[in-house]
Amino acid sequence: DTEVTQTPKHLVMGMTNKKSLKCEQHMGHRAMYWYKQKAKKPPELMFVYSYEKLSINESVPSRFSPECPNSSLLNLHLHALQPEDSALYLCASSPREGVDQPQHFGDGTRLSIL
Amino acid sequence: AQKVTQAQTEISVVEKEDVTLDCVYETRDTTYYLFWYKQPPSGELVFLIRRNSFDEQNEISGRYSWNFQKSTSSFNFTITASQVVDSAVYFCALSDYSGYALNFGKGTSLLVTP
């Protein structure tokens, strides 16, 4: 079982819907990440939070809005998504932000936009 | 420029065969970190190993072994006596100080058949 828990595992939504993805870890990690992964492609970094503050935003469209309410929880709020946003969204955490830090990933949320 | 090259897109082997997954990387930094991740069909990326640039010692973990050669900028992964459960996509990744993201290769899809 993964130590990074993501919910829901699957999500189907229309382009006008608002939904949220949730990620939780209880390893005491202080860096958390959101990735987007299209089929047969490697993960692409979206956001990095370090000590609950947004550290990196990889020029992600504003229809994706991250939130880190506390050190264990990371959300990704979705609004007015496009069909091309259909993908696997992966959350990861590491003890801290840094090039030497192995990231631990959740199972992901498979998102389909109708 | 692509920092991590996994030239093998797909590999198919029969159970109990040995298989080597190639990874070639590119960086100008003298300090950097290399990672291997496994992604089974369930979606989760499983961290397998981290190696820093100053440690060229090969590593063995059960049926898994890694060969790091700075002279050829390679960090190859060998599975001995492969099993069906080894079927997955394997990603090699590089982290250095020129950026802040994990640079993933495109992945190698390994299929182990009975």
Side-chain angles (χ1 to χ4, degrees), chain B residues 2-60:
Chain B
Q2 189 174 359
K3 287 196 165 189
V4 178
T5 302
Q6 294 180 256
Q8 304 148 310
T9 305
E10 295 180 350
I11 299 176
S12 183
V13 299
V14 177
E15 207 170 19
K16 297 184 183 177
E17 285 184 12
D18 298 348
V19 58
T20 295
L21 310 182
D22 298 332
C23 174
V24 174
Y25 63 91
E26 178 185 338
T27 179
R28 294 181 180 179
D29 289 1
T30 55
T31 301
Y32 53 90
Y33 296 84
L34 295 162
F35 302 83
W36 274 96
Y37 284 88
K38 172 184 179 180
Q39 187 173 37
S42 58
E44 174 195 3
L45 272 100
V46 179
F47 166 69
L48 297 178
I49 190 172
R50 176 189 62 186
R51 173 66 76 225
N52 75 57
S53 53
F54 297 107
D55 183 2
E56 285 195 73
Q57 193 170 7
N58 291 332
E59 180 150 342
I60 299 175

Side-chain angles (χ1 to χ4, degrees), chain B residues 41-104:
Chain B
S42 58
E44 174 195 3
L45 272 100
V46 179
F47 166 69
L48 297 178
I49 190 172
R50 176 189 62 186
R51 173 66 76 225
N52 75 57
S53 53
F54 297 107
D55 183 2
E56 285 195 73
Q57 193 170 7
N58 291 332
E59 180 150 342
I60 299 175
S61 176
R63 296 184 296 106
Y64 295 172
S65 62
W66 290 269
N67 184 321
F68 176 31
Q69 292 197 334
K70 288 178 75 170
S71 60
T72 56
S73 296
S74 65
F75 186 42
N76 296 337
F77 173 31
T78 297
I79 301 175
T80 302
S82 60
Q83 299 177 2
V84 173
V85 293
D86 295 326
S87 297
V89 178
Y90 291 85
F91 290 99
C92 180
L94 166 76
S95 183
D96 62 20
Y97 290 92
S98 68
Y100 39 76
L102 261 180
N103 296 280
F104 285 94

